């Protein structure tokens, strides 16, 4: 083969953000795979749902700003991560409903949301877009995968109804822009943003806080 | 901030079509926000639904013809219009179901459909596409926002089932192309198209005319 | 008109694959039109559903790799094919439910899936993408039209739940890559891929084989 397997994996050293991005992709993909199980989809239905949940947000972001081919086409390692997520879901299928797992997934999901927010805002800035649009792009990157997942399983997207989810991502994006305007270094901006998103998610879940309905 | 608030608003003079476009965006966004209320979504669910309804059609058009970053990323005023729509919906939430409001919304919605059709057809021509494709692009721009809105609230899109909606946009597009081939000036073409779309919408609603089902 | 009707139809000679592509588009569009009938959509609702089913997969593929304007905008003959599909569905509406028709549609649908797979993989290779991504693009091209059709009619996509459908396309894509690596000529690769997809579809339907659910 002209493209051997090791072409799938980018060269080291990997940045901390890239590793977190892969973790976020896996966790989002697992949430897609679990949703597929609940709807009695077959193995490839599960794979498709894991795929769109894992990379859907970043795909929409790239398509809208014109960064094509979209990110996962340039770095096939994402396809491996999705496959890994499906395998993990298959192996641990009997314990995925247990409380400990659920809690673990929530934490990883919050990490994923935070990292995806950072990547979305950063990519918008790289394309010279207005900060307001960059914050929106962070939200698209973080939230749209779960949105498509719920559309495909024929339900009103949960992130539109319950929980402080889109909001956490948008506030994270605002923190990113504010810290950047204040002149902080890139790594600190990333840490502040991800921490903010995780903190909002964890606190609002624990304290059972919801946004008001109008 | 390097991007102060006044960056959000483009310089004057604004064209008549641009003002109508903003009105169309607001009205479409309001219809999204009202739909969110009916499904008991929270504040940001409402914002997301208003957003996709207001700019969804133009976004799909831009993505398909390759005009990226898509229009609302280049002119952040659209995000302000969406925000305005959500605020209007929140303020007038108790009177939005009344007959007078409903009638007013229908008229503005018809204006929005007409203007969006003009913008879609024009953009297709700017990209040198075949008139048949331009008419389709007018329909995509006018109708797809409402389509995505209904997908997100988990219903069969109303514009596919009832009312002469897609048809009004497509006939408007045909009028646009015919008037252009006949050598009319740009402003007259716009007026003829928007008037046609509004007339078809108002007449078919008043006379309760529907397209045949096969 | 500066763009007379004959502009809609590309010059001869047409390649065998192009003719098959048009057949695939018609068959997929018919499946969309039939779905619209079942949901009592009106004439243009039917047209929209036929449209997205017929060209939706290729559109998503083109948008994600950045091949814009998307394929059907450059060759308006696809719009004619969709129109033809709606007319066919309207004329034969009373016999479309009969067993013979259903069987015929299944065979043509399998041909469409095979051809769309070939076109998707080939386009990925033309853009210099990794074979793994090209296989995924074949699947997107073949399967996404039916996916959007089912989303629009508000049902969990049937290809995620039943039948060996996505799998047939992906295995076809693998065959394409393997035959190409083995040095076969382009025509043979196409024939091998399409034949594989058709064979898998026909065999698994006849033998009532499904993928396992996890």
């Amino acid at each position: 083969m002209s493209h051997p397997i090791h072409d799938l994996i980018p060269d080291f050293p990997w940045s901390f953000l890239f590793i977190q991005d892969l973790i976020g992709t896996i966790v989002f993909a697992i949430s897609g795979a679990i949703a597929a199980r609940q709807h009695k989809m077959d193995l490839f239905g599960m794979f498709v749902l894991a795929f769109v949940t894992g990379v859907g947000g970043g795909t929409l972001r790239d398509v809208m700003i014109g960064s094509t081919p979209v990110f996962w086409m340039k770095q096939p390692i994402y396809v491996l991560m999705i496959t890994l997520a499906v395998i993990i879901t298959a192996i641990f299928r009997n314990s995925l409903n247990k409380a400990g797992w659920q809690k673990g997934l929530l934490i990883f999901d919050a990490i994923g949301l935070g990292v995806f927010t950072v990547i979305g805002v950063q990519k918008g800035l790289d394309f010279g877009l207005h900060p307001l649009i960059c914050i929106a792009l962070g939200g698209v990157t973080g939230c749209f995968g779960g949105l498509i997942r719920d559309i495909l399983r024929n339900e009103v997207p949960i992130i539109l109804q319950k929980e402080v989810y889109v909001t956490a991502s948008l506030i994270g994006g605002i923190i990113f822009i504010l810290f950047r305007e204040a002149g902080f270094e890139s790594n600190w901006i990333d840490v502040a943003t991800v921490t903010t998103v995780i903190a909002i998610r964890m606190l609002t879940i624990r304290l059972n806080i919801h946004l008001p309905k109008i």
Side-chain angles (χ1 to χ4, degrees), chain A:
Chain A
M1 296 268 288
S2 56
H3 295 262
I5 289 296
H6 73 251
D7 271 18
L8 294 174
I9 299 159
D11 290 337
F12 281 92
W14 294 0
S15 74
F16 188 54
L17 198 64
F18 181 57
I19 294 168
Q20 282 190 305
D21 182 26
L22 294 181
I23 292 174
T25 305
I26 292 180
V27 177
F28 277 30
I30 289 177
S31 92
I34 291 174
R37 270 200 79 211
Q38 291 166 340
H39 284 71
K40 302 199 164 75
M41 293 183 185
D42 66 26
L43 192 58
F44 269 100
M46 179 180 276
F47 188 81
V48 171
L49 217 62
F51 204 99
V52 298
T53 311
V55 303
T59 300
L60 180 64
R61 174 202 63 215
D62 282 1
V63 159
M64 288 197 305
I65 59 179
S67 172
T68 52
V70 299
F71 72 102
W72 55 268
M73 294 189 173
K74 295 176 195 156
Q75 290 187 324
I77 193 176
Y78 287 98
V79 180
L80 291 190
M81 293 299 112
I82 309 284
T83 310
L84 190 59
V86 172
I87 293 171
I88 290 173
T89 310
I91 292 175
F92 295 102
R93 63 184 178 278
N94 292 321
S95 53
L96 280 170
N97 293 322
K98 289 182 187 148
W101 263 89
Q102 289 294 325
K103 209 171 166 182
L105 272 178
L106 270 180
I107 294 169
F108 279 112
D109 181 81
I111 297 173
L113 183 64
V115 176
F116 280 24
T117 300
V118 165
I119 294 172
V121 175
Q122 186 60 58
K123 200 148 189 177
L125 291 169
D126 293 344
F127 273 73
L129 300 172
H130 189 281
L132 196 65
I133 302 299
C134 296
I135 294 168
L137 277 178
V140 165
T141 311
C143 304
F144 210 83
L147 214 77
I148 308 180
R149 176 198 63 212
D150 289 351
I151 290 175
L152 281 176
R153 61 178 185 159
N154 204 21
E155 291 184 7
V156 176
I158 191 162
I159 63 168
L160 298 184
Q161 292 186 296
K162 295 178 205 162
E163 304 188 4
V164 184
Y165 201 92
V166 185
T167 318
S169 175
L170 294 178
I171 293 176
I174 292 168
I175 293 290
F176 188 110
I177 297 296
L178 290 180
F179 270 59
R180 189 167 164 274
E181 296 295 330
F184 279 91
E185 203 198 330
S186 178
N187 284 338
W188 287 112
I189 301 174
D190 294 356
V191 169
T193 307
V194 175
T195 309
T196 302
V197 174
I198 295 175
I200 295 174
R201 285 291 293 149
M202 289 298 114
L203 274 174
T204 53
I205 290 173
R206 171 155 293 219
L207 303 175
N208 204 21
I209 294 171
H210 301 278
L211 281 182
K213 299 174 190 225
I214 292 168

